[in-house]
Amino acid sequence: MIPPFMLAGACLGGRGAAFAPTDLTGLATWLSGSSLVLDGANINQALDLSGNGRDYTKVADATRPVTATVGGVPVIRFNGVTQTLLADDDY
């Protein structure tokens, strides 16, 4: 099975019918670069757009990921080592 985030990314290339991640059956969480609560370029919170209220919050100032732009689209950039966001609840 292809993960839902792969399906969403594959459908954003302008081909086919309009698509939103909420079209996916069983969507648990949808995080988007456009739904971030920021402090400068640092992310304080990533709000869940799935309608399930599964927001993610910074653990500490020193471990916050940052925002970036890739191809004109806002993204969340993690350094792969220390930057994290913590789910607000157990899923």
Side-chain angles (χ1 to χ4, degrees):
M1 183 174 124
I2 299 173
F5 66 86
M6 294 294 290
L7 293 173
C11 294
L12 295 176
R15 289 171 259 138
F19 172 81
T22 52
D23 294 338
L24 297 171
T25 301
L27 178 67
T29 304
W30 173 18
L31 301 179
S32 170
S34 65
S35 67
L36 302 174
V37 178
L38 302 175
D39 178 9
N42 296 308
I43 299 170
N44 286 333
Q45 192 173 34
L47 303 175
D48 176 20
L49 298 178
S50 73
N52 294 319
R54 295 175 172 161
D55 301 329
Y56 285 70
T57 304
K58 69 175 182 174
V59 175
D61 286 347
T63 63
R64 292 186 288 184
V66 297
T67 58
T69 302
V70 175
V73 177
V75 298
I76 301 170
R77 179 164 288 173
F78 294 86
N79 67 8
V81 180
T82 59
Q83 293 173 326
T84 61
L85 288 174
L86 182 65
D88 288 349
D89 200 355
D90 294 329
Y91 305 120

